[in-house]
C-alpha cells in the first residue's frame, strides 16, 4: 500500500513538473514574440493621500495579453523574463511608456504628480540602469521628479554594497525611490539609513491582516512609525476595506493603494475615474 502511494505521489510530481516545464518553455517562446508584437499594456493604480483623499500618484503595473493564453499575471512572466534576459527589453518598454503617459497627464488638470515603475532585481543590477533612466527621461521630456522607481526590499539587500551607488546615481536624476514589499526582507533600520530612499511601501500581506491580527497590525504600525522617524513617506498597499483604512488613518500613515480606491486600470479609464471623482467631490473617502 505504502509503495503504491509512493508511486502515485511520484507520478503526480513528475506530471506536475512536466506541466510546469512545458508552460515555462511555452511562456519563454511567447514572451520573445510578445516583446516584438506589442502584446503588453500598462495599467495604473492610484496612490491616495489619506489625510485629504487626493490622488498623488499612480503605480504602473504591466499586463500581458497573450493571443492564446489570455491575460498572464506579472508574477508568472516577470521571473521568466528575468531568467531569459528579456527583462531588459520589457523593462525599457515599461519605463518609456510610463514616462510618456506621465508627460501627457501633466497637461491634464486632474492628473497625478508621479508615476511609479517597478524594477525587478535583475533590472536594478544592470550596469547602465541610471543611464537608461536618464536617456528615457530626456527623450520623453519628463522631469525626474515625476518618476518614482520601486525596488523590493529583498532586491536591495541582495545587491550588497553596490546598491547605495546605484541609488545615488538614480537620485542624481531627480527621481524618487520607493522600497516595495517592505517588511518582508528583514532589513534593519541601520541598513536602511545608508540608502537615499524616499518612500516605504508596506507589503500587502500585513495590510490585509489589519486591524484584527495582532502581529500584522503591530508590524504595520512599526513601519509607519519608522517611516515618520526617518522622514520617509509610507504607502500601505493592498487596502481593501474601510476598517483597514481607518486603522492606517489612526496610525497616521501617509498614503494608501488598493482595491478600496481602485483596481489597476488602463490610462483612459483612470482619467475618467479621476474626472468623475473630482466632479462629485468625493475626494475624501469615508472613515
Ligand atoms: P507590486 O509592485 O507589489 O504590486 C502590487 C500588486 O498588488 C499588483 O499585482 C496589484 O495589482 C495588486 N493589488 C493592488 N491592490 C490590491 C488589493 O487591494 N488587493 C489585492 N489582493 N491585490 C492588490 P500585479 O499587477 O499582479 O503585480 C504583481 C507584481 O509583479 C508586482 O508587485 C511587481 O513586483 C511585479 N510587476 C508588475 N508590473 C511590473 C513591471 O512593469 N516591471 C517589473 N519589473 N515588475 C512588475
Ligand atoms: Mg510595486
Ligand atoms: Mg508590493
Ligand atoms: Mg509584490
Amino acid at each position: 500500500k505504502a509503495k503504491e502511494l509512493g508511486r502515485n505521489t511520484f507520478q503526480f510530481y513528475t506530471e506536475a513538473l512536466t506541466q510546469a516545464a512545458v508552460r515555462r518553455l511555452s511562456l519563454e517562446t511567447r514572451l520573445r514574440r510578445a516583446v516584438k508584437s506589442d502584446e503588453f499594456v500598462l495599467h495604473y493604480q492610484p496612490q491616495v493621500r489619506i489625510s485629504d483623499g487626493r490622488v498623488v500618484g499612480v503605480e504602473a503595473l504591466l499586463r500581458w495579453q497573450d493571443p492564446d493564453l489570455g491575460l498572464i499575471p506579472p508574477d508568472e512572466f516577470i521571473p521568466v523574463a528575468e531568467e531569459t534576459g528579456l527583462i531588459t527589453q520589457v523593462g525599457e518598454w515599461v519605463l518609456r511608456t510610463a514616462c510618456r503617459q506621465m508627460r501627457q497627464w501633466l497637461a491634464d488638470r486632474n492628473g497625478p504628480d508621479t508615476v511609479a515603475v517597478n524594477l525587478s532585481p535583475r533590472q536594478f543590477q544592470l550596469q547602465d540602469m541610471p543611464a537608461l533612466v536618464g536617456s528615457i527621461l530626456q527623450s520623453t521630456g519628463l522631469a525626474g521628479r515625476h518618476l518614482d522607481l520601486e525596488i523590493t526590499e529583498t532586491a536591495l539587500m541582495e545587491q550588497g554594497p553596490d546598491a547605495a551607488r546605484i541609488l545615488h546615481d538614480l537620485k542624481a536624476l531627480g527621481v524618487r525611490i520607493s522600497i516595495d514589499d517592505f517588511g518582508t526582507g528583514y532589513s534593519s533600520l541601520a541598513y536602511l539609513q545608508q540608502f537615499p530612499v524616499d518612500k516605504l511601501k508596506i507589503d500587502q500581506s500585513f495590510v490585509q491582516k489589519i486591524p484584527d491580527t495582532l502581529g500584522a497590525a503591530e508590524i504595520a504600525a512599526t513601519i509607519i512609525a519608522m517611516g515618520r522617524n526617518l522622514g520617509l513617506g509610507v504607502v500601505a498597499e493592498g487596502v481593501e476595506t474601510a476598517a483597514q483604512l481607518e486603522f492606517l488613518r489612526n496610525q497616521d500613515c501617509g498614503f494608501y493603494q488598493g482595491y478600496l480606491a481602485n483596481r489597476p486600470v488602463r490610462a483612459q479609464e483612470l482619467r475618467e475615474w479621476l474626472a468623475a471623482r473630482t466632479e462629485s467631490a468625493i475626494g475624501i473617502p469615508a472613515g
Side-chain angles (χ1 to χ4, degrees):
K1 182 86 191 155
K3 205 172 169 187
E4 196 177 297
L5 199 73
R7 220 187 111 223
N8 284 342
T9 315
F10 177 71
Q11 204 165 29
F12 173 78
Y13 281 119
T14 24
E15 270 168 28
L17 271 176
T18 312
Q19 271 176 24
V22 166
R23 167 117 177 150
R24 198 194 162 288
L25 194 68
S26 131
L27 273 190
E28 181 175 339
T29 315
R30 286 164 185 279
L31 203 52
R32 282 185 198 284
R33 190 192 56 199
V35 170
K36 292 188 202 124
S37 55
D38 221 26
E39 292 169 20
F40 294 116
V41 63
L42 288 184
H43 282 194
Y44 299 90
Q45 185 178 41
Q47 299 183 327
V48 183
R49 188 160 59 203
I50 295 178
S51 63
D52 61 0
R54 198 182 124 70
V55 174
V56 291
V58 291
E59 178 177 5
L61 293 155
L62 184 56
R63 298 292 177 257
W64 174 22
Q65 183 80 42
D66 180 272
D68 309 311
L69 300 178
L71 201 66
I72 302 165
D75 282 331
E76 188 170 353
F77 72 81
I78 296 281
V80 179
E82 285 222 299
E83 286 161 34
T84 53
L86 285 164
I87 193 70
T88 309
Q89 287 121 287
V90 176
E92 195 172 329
W93 182 88
V94 172
L95 267 171
R96 198 176 299 282
T97 307
C99 288
R100 207 180 276 147
Q101 180 59 57
M102 187 62 228
R103 183 73 213 267
Q104 228 169 308
W105 276 325
L106 287 176
D108 293 357
R109 214 159 35 97
N110 290 326
D113 298 328
T114 59
V115 66
V117 169
N118 291 282
L119 294 185
S120 71
R122 178 148 171 194
Q123 273 178 288
F124 182 59
Q125 284 165 26
L126 291 173
Q127 273 309 309
D128 54 352
M129 190 32 127
L132 175 69
V133 172
S135 90
I136 289 177
L137 287 173
Q138 191 154 36
S139 68
T140 55
L142 186 71
R145 65 175 184 282
H146 298 295
L147 178 65
D148 185 348
L149 296 174
E150 297 193 359
I151 299 148
T152 64
E153 186 189 11
T154 333
L156 206 57
M157 294 201 318
E158 278 167 7
Q159 182 60 29
D162 279 349
R165 185 189 47 79
I166 302 170
L167 291 181
H168 275 106
D169 289 352
L170 288 169
K171 286 291 293 181
L173 300 166
V175 305
R176 312 279 159 92
I177 308 286
S178 296
I179 305 190
D180 207 350
D181 301 350
F182 192 75
T184 57
Y186 311 101
S187 60
S188 70
L189 203 81
Y191 187 79
L192 200 65
Q193 253 176 328
Q194 58 176 325
F195 297 120
V197 302
D198 302 282
K199 253 191 261 175
L200 304 177
K201 298 190 74 179
I202 311 175
D203 190 67
Q204 45 179 291
S205 62
F206 306 115
V207 175
Q208 288 179 352
K209 290 188 199 120
I210 58 178
D212 294 330
T213 309
L214 207 59
E218 273 171 351
I219 290 169
T222 304
I223 297 173
I224 294 164
M226 185 167 143
R228 189 165 39 236
N229 293 336
L230 291 173
L232 306 176
V234 178
V235 186
E237 1 178 59
V239 175
E240 294 183 359
T241 70
Q244 288 163 356
L245 181 59
E246 188 54 28
F247 175 90
L248 295 165
R249 191 194 300 281
N250 289 336
Q251 298 294 324
D252 247 330
C253 179
F255 310 90
Y256 84 99
Q257 222 181 305
Y259 296 167
L260 183 65
N262 204 357
R263 289 181 178 257
V265 291
R266 281 171 188 265
Q268 180 56 28
E269 205 179 318
L270 184 87
R271 199 165 184 233
E272 286 158 15
W273 180 82
L274 285 169
R277 192 177 158 91
T278 313
E279 206 162 291
S280 58
I282 44 156
I284 302 172

